[in-house]
Amino acid sequence: MDALILVLAVLAALGTGAAAGFVLRAVVLGRRTSNAVAEASRIVEEAEEERKRSLLEAKEEALSLRTQAEADLRERRSELQSQERRLANREENIERRADNLDNRERHQAAEEKRLEEEHTRLEEMKRQETEILENLASLSVNDARDLLMRKAEEEIQYEVARRYRDVEQVARDEADQNARKVITLAIHRLASDVVSENSVKVISLPNDDMKGRLIGREGRNIRAIEAATGVDLIIDDTPEAVTISCFDPVRREIARQAITKLISDGRIHPARIEEVVEKTRNEVEENIREEGERAVFEAKARGMNPELVKLLGRLKYRYSYGENILQHSVQVSQLSAMLAAEIGANIEVAKLGGLLHDIGKALTHEVEGPHAEIGADVARRYGIPHEVERAIMEHHDEERGSVEAFIVAAADAISAARPGSRRDTLEHYAKRLEELEKVAQSFPGVEKSYAIQAGREVRILVKSAEIDDVMASKLARDVVKKIEDTLVYPGLIKVTVIRETRAVEVAR
């Protein structure tokens, strides 16, 4: 019974506790619910406010975009209107041009038609005129054409002849300028007194007063003589004599003859000096030609080109080992002919090869290379037979390919066999003088240059229109510097630049 009461009491306590817990839980849940409702209301309010604010911002942004879009649309519409106006103007221009082209085409078609009609009319007039001319001249068109062709041929022949004469005159003038470049004294093997004798020429004077006349007022006459001839005129204390010094024998001979004529004539002034020197130069050139013809006659050679004969005559003024080259060539020609006759070789080839074997020495100062090769080129240029050209080319070769070349070499050795021992000294002497003139001539504006005083002085004549006084001084310094840099020489070399301006008028 007590246990039942205890159980019932426990159950009652449990029920009371459960009811109290339920009530308490209901109270707590109600509070939480109220709080949740209040929080939900607050969140809803905030969300509503945020929605309103976002909606307002979206409206503002939409309004701004609309405003910008309307502005862009207005701008594009303006551009489109401008483009439409330009296109309209361009279309108008194109239409206007098309109209102009149509008008021009119509006008051109009319003009072409008119020209065709005019051309037809002119052809008819030309035909009628031709018929009238044929009737008047009693010549057909073909006959008139042949007549005109013959007349044209005659005129062309005359023009060709005139131009040939002009070219020949130019060649003659160039030959006058190059005459002073004939090969100088070289390769002597004799004593120094022979060198002096061949490098200078002494002219006797009628009295010592003639020295003063040759010098002239302030030295103008002697300067004119030296400038015109390219020699050095030495007037010293030697009584009744003057000395001409020049390594070029052609210049020396021209100066000797010209001074002799001036002394005999008595009229000595610059104009007369130039006149006499020019005349003497022509005479020396004529003498060169005559000497070449004489050598050809003595050698009994035939069919040689006149220019080759003249070139051969230059060898009269060329010396080698103390012997005149022209006489040496004639002698070699004669010896070659005799040797060829003895052994049965070609006499004509040997004779002509001997005569021309040293022809290259006439050009060694103008053309670079051994004189045998230069001579062979000259022979080839003037139509000399190949066998003779070969003999010229091989007369100094150790291996000779023809009998005639061997004969010419043997005859050359026979003619040149003589004593002497100054070859090197004189060879270097002549070479140094040539190099001095070449150095001076290498500068622009130089007209002529002369090495005088045995190579101790170089005189340079310049073109006054190209070189003024200031440039003349600079040219002298430049020449000196180039000589010092490129040449080897003993002692001192004086460089003199001469600039001269002349005014010439003719009284008519």
Side-chain angles (χ1 to χ4, degrees):
M1 190 63 173
D2 292 332
L4 180 60
I5 294 170
L6 180 61
V7 171
L8 290 173
V10 170
L11 289 175
L14 289 173
T16 302
F22 179 77
V23 172
L24 180 61
R25 184 170 26 196
V27 173
V28 173
L29 183 61
R31 290 181 180 176
R32 290 182 177 178
T33 301
S34 298
N35 293 334
V37 170
E39 182 69 19
S41 299
R42 186 182 63 78
I43 292 172
V44 168
E45 290 176 358
E46 289 179 357
E48 186 65 22
E49 291 177 359
E50 183 67 25
R51 183 183 67 79
K52 291 180 180 179
R53 186 168 60 254
S54 298
L55 182 61
L56 181 60
E57 290 177 356
K59 288 182 179 180
E60 291 178 354
E61 185 176 358
L63 181 62
S64 176
L65 291 174
R66 182 178 180 182
T67 304
Q68 182 67 29
E70 290 177 353
D72 293 341
L73 182 60
R74 285 195 298 273
E75 184 178 356
R76 290 186 180 181
R77 285 178 179 175
S78 177
E79 291 179 357
L80 289 174
Q81 290 175 357
S82 299
Q83 290 180 359
E84 288 177 355
R85 286 194 297 272
R86 287 197 298 270
L87 290 174
N89 293 333
R90 185 172 298 176
E91 288 178 356
E92 292 178 0
N93 292 332
I94 291 174
E95 291 177 357
R96 191 180 304 111
R97 290 182 181 180
D99 294 339
N100 292 335
L101 287 175
D102 293 339
N103 294 332
R104 188 175 300 175
E105 288 178 355
R106 289 193 295 271
H107 178 73
Q108 185 175 0
E111 187 68 17
E112 289 178 353
K113 183 177 180 180
R114 187 186 66 80
L115 288 176
E116 289 179 358
E117 295 175 353
E118 188 71 17
H119 180 71
T120 303
R121 187 175 65 83
L122 289 176
E123 288 292 332
E124 180 64 21
M125 292 177 63
K126 181 179 179 181
R127 186 185 61 79
Q128 295 176 0
E129 184 181 0
T130 301
E131 292 178 355
I132 294 173
L133 290 175
E134 289 179 353
N135 294 331
L136 291 176
S138 300
L139 290 174
S140 65
V141 174
N142 293 331
D143 294 338
R145 184 182 294 110
D146 294 338
L147 180 61
L148 289 175
M149 290 296 293
R150 287 195 298 271
K151 185 176 180 181
E153 288 177 358
E154 293 176 358
E155 292 179 354
I156 290 173
Q157 290 177 356
Y158 171 77
E159 182 67 18
V160 169
R162 185 184 65 80
R163 292 192 178 187
Y164 179 80
R165 184 197 62 189
D166 295 341
V167 171
E168 186 178 13
Q169 183 62 37
V170 170
R172 188 179 296 110
D173 295 340
E174 291 179 354
D176 291 340
Q177 294 177 1
N178 294 331
R180 283 173 289 184
K181 296 181 180 179
V182 176
I183 300 175
T184 62
L185 297 175
I187 319 178
H188 290 281
R189 295 174 65 182
L190 302 178
S192 59
D193 57 342
V194 178
V195 179
S196 176
E197 181 182 353
N198 284 283
S199 299
V200 300
K201 180 69 69 174
V202 177
I203 298 179
S204 299
L205 303 178
N207 51 63
D208 283 338
D209 293 338
M210 187 59 67
K211 292 183 179 180
R213 299 183 62 183
L214 288 174
I215 296 173
R217 181 178 300 176
E218 298 179 355
R220 65 174 186 173
N221 289 344
I222 190 172
R223 287 198 301 270
I225 292 172
E226 292 178 344
T229 60
V231 304
D232 188 23
L233 188 60
I234 302 173
I235 301 178
D236 52 17
D237 297 332
T238 305
E240 298 181 355
V242 294
T243 303
I244 300 173
S245 175
C246 181
F247 70 93
D248 189 333
V250 177
R251 298 183 201 166
R252 192 171 62 248
E253 180 62 18
I254 292 173
R256 185 191 67 80
Q257 294 185 19
I259 294 174
T260 301
K261 291 177 182 178
L262 289 170
I263 292 173
S264 301
D265 183 70
R267 293 177 295 170
I268 305 177
H269 52 82
R272 178 63 177 168
I273 289 170
E274 293 182 357
E275 178 184 352
V276 171
V277 169
E278 184 64 24
K279 183 178 179 181
T280 304
R281 183 178 290 108
N282 294 332
E283 292 174 356
V284 171
E285 286 292 329
E286 181 64 19
N287 181 255
I288 288 174
R289 184 186 62 80
E290 293 175 356
E291 288 296 326
E293 293 177 349
R294 181 187 61 79
V296 171
F297 177 79
E298 290 182 3
K300 298 180 181 180
R302 295 186 297 271
M304 290 183 59
N305 188 293
E307 291 298 322
L308 187 59
V309 173
K310 185 177 178 181
L311 193 63
L312 185 65
R314 287 188 178 189
L315 295 177
K316 176 186 177 182
Y317 300 100
R318 175 66 188 259
Y319 289 82
S320 179
Y321 298 93
E323 184 180 30
N324 182 270
I325 296 297
L326 184 59
Q327 296 176 356
H328 166 72
S329 298
V330 173
Q331 186 180 28
V332 171
S333 176
Q334 295 170 347
L335 290 172
S336 298
M338 289 186 288
L339 291 172
E342 290 294 329
I343 66 174
N346 191 320
I347 298 176
E348 293 298 324
V349 171
K351 179 169 57 178
L352 190 56
L355 180 64
L356 301 178
H357 78 287
D358 277 344
I359 192 68
K361 290 185 177 181
L363 297 172
T364 50
H365 290 188
E366 302 173 10
V367 181
E368 295 183 357
H371 74 275
E373 295 180 4
I374 298 173
D377 291 339
V378 171
R380 188 183 310 111
R381 187 164 64 247
Y382 289 107
I384 298 300
H386 176 69
E387 295 80 7
V388 178
E389 173 191 337
R390 188 175 181 182
I392 297 171
M393 172 71 77
E394 297 176 351
H395 79 276
H396 276 320
D397 292 346
E398 295 181 359
E399 297 181 2
R400 302 177 180 88
S402 66
V403 176
E404 289 75 17
F406 186 91
I407 291 174
V408 171
D412 184 28
I414 293 172
S415 175
R418 62 189 177 280
S421 60
R422 296 189 57 83
R423 170 183 176 183
D424 290 341
T425 301
L426 295 177
E427 182 179 7
H428 294 160
Y429 163 78
K431 184 178 181 180
R432 179 162 63 89
L433 297 181
E434 296 167 18
E435 290 176 347
L436 284 174
E437 288 191 347
K438 288 180 181 178
V439 168
Q441 204 71 34
S442 64
F443 288 86
V446 175
E447 184 175 5
K448 299 176 183 177
S449 62
Y450 303 106
I452 60 176
Q453 291 284 6
R456 292 189 295 273
E457 182 178 355
V458 180
R459 292 191 180 178
I460 304 173
L461 304 181
V462 299
K463 300 175 183 178
S464 59
E466 299 180 11
I467 304 293
D468 55 16
D469 293 337
V470 176
M471 293 302 296
S473 300
K474 182 178 182 298
L475 176 63
R477 292 192 299 269
D478 293 343
V479 173
V480 167
K481 187 176 185 304
K482 189 169 183 179
I483 290 174
E484 293 174 347
D485 294 340
T486 60
L487 301 183
V488 178
Y489 53 90
L492 303 175
I493 296 178
K494 178 182 178 181
V495 176
T496 303
V497 176
I498 301 173
R499 178 178 179 270
E500 198 174 60
T501 303
R502 300 186 183 185
V504 180
E505 295 292 341
V506 179
R508 302 183 184 276

